[in-house]
Amino acid sequence: MVLGKGASSSLSMNKVDGAEEMVDNSNNFTVLVADDDPLIQKLHEMHLKKFGLKVQVVENGKKAVDLCHFGATFNLILIDKEMPVMDGAEATKELQAMGVNSLIVGVTSRDSPYEKQAFMEAGLDYCFEKPLTADKINFLLQELNKNN
Amino acid sequence: MEKEEEEEEMVGTTLSQQLRNYIQTMHDQGILDHHFDHVKSLQNEENPQFVMEVISMFSHDAEIGISQATEFLNCVVDFAKVICFVHQLKGSSSSIGGQRMAMACRELRHACDIRSKERCLEIFGRLKQEYNTLHECLNTISQMERTIIANETRRRQP
């Protein structure tokens, strides 16, 4: 995991051996998933819904930007790097320029620190390597609860 | 009638246990990892065919990806395009828990980074083998899931 500017360098995740420790989602957080792979879209959606999150899915960065431009708000945006039309880095820059008040998290297959850092520099708060896991979702919910 | 229902329930239980044992064997061989268990845990009564759907989607995507990577590894290698497909394959195979296939994708990425066609072709051959193994494994799981669901549906019919 790569951290964004201002993020704490000492993080702890609630990892319980062999079981998910579900973080409370009574705040009804909403999530936008931007990924062009239908399999990843489906998996992310199901993982997030299991945590009681409300999920919307788009297949490229431009659709993510357009949604926010036209007034949709999300607590969390999970964004892939490689997407057609507009990739994750470009979309992230646009979302930041718009002043979107969401936690923006990259979820990418790219595993080199250099590539993840390059993605981070677009303005991500965090960058995870795929796959999205319960631990990562728990961590993000903790961050959202803190900010809330 | 009751005895028939009991027997059907036992068959269902036996099949479920067989499926669990099969998945454990795949874990032991390193073909699947815990991410597959997470995928399986997402299946519920509202989505009883979730695992089968995900397996079908993965196989479809992987076959297209491998076919396109084959094209880009022919004659003059387009490493940049191969890298794109490798990353997509890595993302989908790791997300479904295909551990060995995901590792092969990682190695192929490194071979592309050093611009070695020979190494790329060698590892790509291994990646295809790992995909075939994973595909066979997932097909078996899918068939067992299908049978379990069919038995459960029959059991619940009045």
Side-chain angles (χ1 to χ4, degrees), chain A:
Chain A
M1 179 175 69
V2 181
L3 310 180
K5 288 181 204 176
S8 168
S9 60
S10 60
L11 295 163
S12 63
M13 288 160 62
N14 288 343
K15 187 170 180 177
V16 179
D17 290 342
E20 293 165 3
E21 186 180 331
M22 306 275 276
V23 176
D24 176 35
N25 187 34
S26 54
N27 286 314
N28 291 316
F29 293 130
T30 55
V31 187
L32 176 63
V33 170
D35 197 300
D36 62 323
D37 187 337
L39 172 65
I40 301 298
Q41 289 173 3
K42 194 176 183 77
L43 289 174
H44 284 189
E45 187 176 14
M46 287 296 282
H47 270 303
L48 294 163
K49 278 183 173 173
K50 197 176 175 187
F51 281 78
L53 294 159
K54 295 193 181 84
V55 185
Q56 192 161 348
V57 177
V58 293
E59 67 264 30
N60 63 56
K62 184 170 188 315
K63 291 198 173 177
V65 169
D66 286 347
L67 266 180
C68 294
H69 176 73
F70 288 113
T73 57
F74 302 95
N75 301 100
L76 171 65
I77 299 174
L78 296 177
I79 192 157
D80 184 23
K81 187 172 183 299
E82 269 90 29
M83 290 183 285
V85 186
M86 185 187 287
D87 71 16
E90 200 182 329
T92 301
K93 285 178 194 164
E94 297 234 357
L95 291 168
Q96 291 291 14
M98 283 163 58
V100 159
N101 187 24
S102 308
L103 199 65
I104 306 178
V105 177
V107 186
T108 175
S109 304
R110 302 271 167 172
D111 54 3
S112 81
Y114 145 77
E115 282 171 322
K116 282 196 277 194
Q117 191 55 40
F119 194 9
M120 283 294 301
E121 282 166 7
L124 297 175
D125 293 294
Y126 302 100
C127 188
F128 294 138
E129 191 181 334
K130 283 175 184 166
L132 187 65
T133 62
D135 288 343
K136 291 168 186 169
I137 297 171
N138 261 324
F139 168 74
L140 292 173
L141 282 178
Q142 284 176 14
E143 291 301 298
L144 287 173
N145 278 318
K146 254 193 264 176
N147 296 340
N148 217 38

Side-chain angles (χ1 to χ4, degrees), chain A residues 20 36-40 42-44 46-48 50 82 108-112 115 129-134, chain B residues 35 38-39 41-42 44 47 50 53-54 57-58 61 83-84 87-88 90-92 94-96 106 109-110:
Chain A
E20 293 165 3
D36 62 323
D37 187 337
L39 172 65
I40 301 298
K42 194 176 183 77
L43 289 174
H44 284 189
M46 287 296 282
H47 270 303
L48 294 163
K50 197 176 175 187
E82 269 90 29
T108 175
S109 304
R110 302 271 167 172
D111 54 3
S112 81
E115 282 171 322
E129 191 181 334
K130 283 175 184 166
L132 187 65
T133 62
Chain B
H35 294 301
H38 292 154
V39 170
S41 75
L42 296 174
N44 54 32
N47 290 283
F50 178 72
E53 285 169 9
V54 161
M57 288 170 86
F58 167 73
D61 285 357
I83 285 172
C84 273
H87 277 296
Q88 191 180 13
K90 177 168 157 282
S92 54
S94 62
S95 296
I96 202 169
R106 210 167 271 127
R109 168 60 205 266
H110 294 148

Side-chain angles (χ1 to χ4, degrees), chain B residues 26-135:
Chain B
M26 296 301 108
H27 275 294
D28 295 342
Q29 292 179 28
I31 295 169
L32 292 177
D33 64 20
H34 61 283
H35 294 301
F36 181 79
D37 302 327
H38 292 154
V39 170
K40 195 148 171 18
S41 75
L42 296 174
Q43 183 159 281
N44 54 32
E45 280 185 5
E46 284 172 18
N47 290 283
Q49 305 197 6
F50 178 72
V51 170
M52 291 192 302
E53 285 169 9
V54 161
I55 287 171
S56 174
M57 288 170 86
F58 167 73
S59 299
H60 177 259
D61 285 357
E63 277 163 29
I64 290 175
I66 285 171
S67 158
Q68 286 175 323
T70 303
E71 206 182 301
F72 295 125
L73 281 166
N74 274 338
C75 300
V76 179
V77 179
D78 189 332
F79 289 107
K81 285 190 172 150
V82 174
I83 285 172
C84 273
F85 285 109
V86 164
H87 277 296
Q88 191 180 13
L89 280 172
K90 177 168 157 282
S92 54
S93 57
S94 62
S95 296
I96 202 169
Q99 182 176 242
R100 283 183 1 198
M101 183 173 166
M103 276 166 50
C105 289
R106 210 167 271 127
E107 288 177 43
L108 181 53
R109 168 60 205 266
H110 294 148
C112 288
D113 284 343
I114 63 171
R115 297 291 193 266
S116 166
K117 179 176 177 176
E118 194 184 326
R119 182 97 180 115
C120 281
L121 288 173
E122 179 201 334
I123 295 173
F124 187 55
R126 188 146 41 87
L127 191 158
K128 285 188 286 188
Q129 278 173 6
E130 292 298 350
Y131 168 68
N132 288 336
T133 303
L134 177 61
H135 179 64

